[in-house]
Structure formats: structure tokens, C-alpha cells
Amino acid sequence: MIVRSRAPLRLGLAGGGTDVSPYCDQYGGAVLNVTIDMYAYTIIEPTDDGKVRFTASDIDGEYEAPADEAMEIGYPLILHRAVYRRIVRDFNGGKPLPCHITTFCDAPPGSGLGTSSTMVVSLVKAFVEWLNLPLGEYEIAHLAFEIERIDAGLGGGRQDQYAATFGGVNFMEFLAGDRVIVNPLRIKNWIISEIETSLVLFNSGVSRSSASIIKEQTDNLTAKSGTTLEAMHEIKADAYGMKECLLRGDFENLAGYMRKSWDAKKRLAASISNDHIDTVHAAAMSAGARAGKVSGAGGGGFMTFLVDPSRRVGVIRALSKQVGQVMTCHFTRWGTEGWKIF
């Protein structure tokens, strides 16, 4: 038997950063996101050799250890080790699970598409399928959040785990006490088609550590920087505004909220933008883009642009002259999936 799973990556449309503590604990966060047809994959092959082997084939990562020893959480492949240890401890009575686990992702680490958190969801889903665990979407997402943020100690927010688990277009609310409410949005088909036709993705080719950017953002907030707190409130309000525009098909104001939110986001931390990002953004806007922003924490990775479809080719040509890669995507309706091959 072979177990496989996949989980979709996400585009953050609005509200990113308000899902990070301590802001969401004190004020409540709100995020609008959508999953796209790029995935993190997991393959589990049970073995009888008494070993645990992890292979991250896309980043040439390898780790092997005896299955009868407690799995230490550390590098390399800290996420794989953290997932394995939590599953064995909480769902297999501490008994080892000898296996070979292979993972890979359609986007590189540091892309701003939630790759790390999505990989954790994919890993958890594969174990859920293998062990027939009775976990629903909220439980899988919360478990993935705890594994990455608490067990592995990696900083970040909450939206990625829930987006990868639920899939589709969602408006998410993050409240005190780790309460999360996922509101799937029923977007008309013509609106989805228009958005997909209007979206242009640009991979800046710069991988960045979201944890370091989020730490700077959190430090600014903890220091009660008025500029940072005000910007966070604006970003949350923009998420509510963009949700309404998306439901109504109001694309002019949708682009307006994206522009406004990007300006606010840059006030959260100095490292969110840089010369390369500013140059790419200016090139796209000059060519006719309506709005643009960096996906995820910022500093690099993927950039998202909204364009008038009639000017799409011109924007793509302008971006093609920049250092990086132009890409397209389609939205997905489904979240993480797992299945067995016999």
C-alpha cells in the first residue's frame, strides 16, 4: 500500500498579517484568500525495516533515523520530523511508524504562497488517510498550526493551514483563544472567470524568510508603534471591503482596496518591500496593471497583479523584462485530499 496526499497553495487577497498573534488575539483578524492549482504533495510508503526516512525531493533534503527512537525536532526537515513525532505521540500510542515519506511542492520555499504550512497540512492529511484518523477540516488545520508554530517553533500566522485544508475562496476570521471561523464564499462563476482572467502572478525569484519579516512586524506591534497598529486596522478593514467587492463583482473597487492594502502593508515593517519589488511593481503599473501586491509576508516571493484583461498581454510583456518569471494560475474548489494505492 502507498498513501498519497496533496494540499493546495493559496493567494492571500486581503487581510494578511492580521492572522498573526498578538494582533488577532487582541483585536481579531480577518483574511480573504483563495487556493490555486499549485500543490504540496506527500507520499507515505510503510516499511518493515524499523527506520523512518524522509525525502524532500524538490529541495534535495534527506533524513533517516531508527523508528524506535524518539524523533528530535530539528534540522534538516524540521517540519517532517515535527509532524511525525506529533502523529506518533497523539494518534499511535507512542508506537513507531516505520515508513519512507517523500514530499515535493509546485512552488519553492519562501514563495509567499504558504508553502511550508501547506506542506504540513499535506503531511498530516497523509497520516490521516494512512491511519484512518477521525479528523475533520478544522481539526486538521488546527493540528497543522500547532505542529508548525508550537512544536517546530516557526513564527507565522494561521491562514495558510486553514486555506490548504478547506480550499476554495474563503473569508476567515481569527479570534482570541485560537478560535477560527472559515466562511466559504459563494462567488458567481462569471466573477471567478473574470478574476482568473485579470490575475497575473510574478515570481520575483527571491526566496525570503517569512518568519524574520513577521518577527519585525510583531516587534513593531508589541512596541505599540502607532503606525503599525493603524496599518493593521486598515488591512483588516480592507479585507471586509474586498470581500464585498468580490461577492458583487465590483472590480474597480476591488483593485482600489488592493492598492490601499499594499500601501498599508508596507508600513508594517521595512523589509516587506525592497528596490526589486518596487521596480517590478512600477513596471506592471506603468503597463496598465490596476493593482499589485506581494503575496505572503513580503520581501520577495510571488507578486500578484490585477489587470484589465485587455491590457493583460502588455503587462506580461513588461514583467517579462524584469528579473523573475511570469506565471498564471486557476482557482481550486477543493482543499487537501488523501488517497491509497494498493
Side-chain angles (χ1 to χ4, degrees), residues 13 65 95 103 112 135 153 160 241 248 251 255:
L13 298 178
K95 295 181 293 184
T103 62
L135 300 181
D160 298 348
R248 294 197 309 263
F251 297 102

Side-chain angles (χ1 to χ4, degrees), residues 33-286:
N33 59 34
V34 59
T35 50
I36 59 176
D37 54 352
M38 299 173 71
Y39 296 88
Y41 302 85
T42 298
I43 302 168
I44 297 181
E45 299 173 86
T47 62
D48 56 6
D49 60 1
K51 295 181 180 180
V52 178
R53 293 193 299 278
F54 300 136
T55 301
S57 56
D58 54 338
I59 59 173
D60 295 326
E62 297 277 352
Y63 179 76
E64 180 176 312
D68 57 357
E69 292 184 4
M71 180 74 67
E72 293 185 6
I73 298 178
Y75 292 96
L77 303 186
I78 186 172
L79 296 176
H80 299 61
R81 294 159 72 168
V83 171
Y84 177 85
R85 192 172 85 165
R86 175 64 85 93
I87 294 294
V88 167
R89 188 192 76 188
D90 289 3
F91 301 100
N92 205 49
K95 295 181 293 184
L97 290 165
C99 61
H100 180 200
I101 298 178
T102 303
T103 62
F104 53 95
C105 188
D106 288 333
S111 64
L113 301 178
T115 50
S116 297
S117 300
T118 304
M119 182 58 72
V120 175
V121 169
S122 178
L123 282 159
V124 169
K125 182 62 176 179
F127 278 107
V128 167
E129 187 72 19
W130 181 18
L131 303 176
N132 297 313
L133 302 178
L135 300 181
E137 286 94 341
Y138 277 101
E139 293 161 312
I140 289 173
H142 183 69
L143 176 61
F145 168 78
E146 285 194 338
I147 289 172
E148 183 176 7
R149 304 294 179 229
I150 299 174
D151 296 359
L154 302 178
R158 294 160 169 79
Q159 68 159 312
D160 298 348
Q161 295 87 354
Y162 286 86
T165 303
F166 282 83
V169 185
N170 292 295
F171 185 76
M172 303 179 180
E173 297 171 284
F174 301 92
L175 309 173
D178 270 344
R179 289 178 56 226
V180 180
I181 302 173
V182 178
N183 304 283
L185 300 185
R186 297 180 62 183
I187 310 296
K188 293 180 180 178
N189 288 338
W190 73 267
I191 296 177
I192 293 292
S193 298
E194 178 71 9
I195 289 289
E196 288 183 337
T197 307
S198 303
L199 270 179
V200 174
L201 296 186
F202 182 79
N203 183 1
S204 70
V206 178
S207 176
R208 82 290 179 271
S209 169
S210 61
S212 61
I213 297 173
I214 290 171
K215 183 179 184 304
E216 181 185 354
Q217 171 185 307
T218 302
D219 288 345
N220 290 342
L221 189 63
T222 303
K224 301 188 182 302
S225 166
T227 301
T228 300
L229 183 58
E230 179 184 339
M232 291 289 266
H233 289 334
E234 288 182 29
I235 289 169
K236 182 172 69 173
D238 291 341
Y240 283 94
M242 188 175 282
K243 177 191 70 170
E244 294 181 13
C245 291
L246 192 59
L247 289 168
R248 294 197 309 263
D250 182 353
F251 297 102
E252 181 176 348
N253 283 316
L254 186 76
Y257 276 116
M258 181 177 283
R259 290 192 299 270
K260 182 173 175 290
S261 196
W262 173 235
D263 288 339
K265 187 178 181 70
K266 288 187 289 185
R267 302 205 305 269
L268 297 179
S271 55
I272 284 176
S273 191
N274 53 48
D275 289 343
H276 179 45
I277 290 173
D278 291 343
T279 298
V280 172
H281 186 273
M285 297 300 287
S286 296

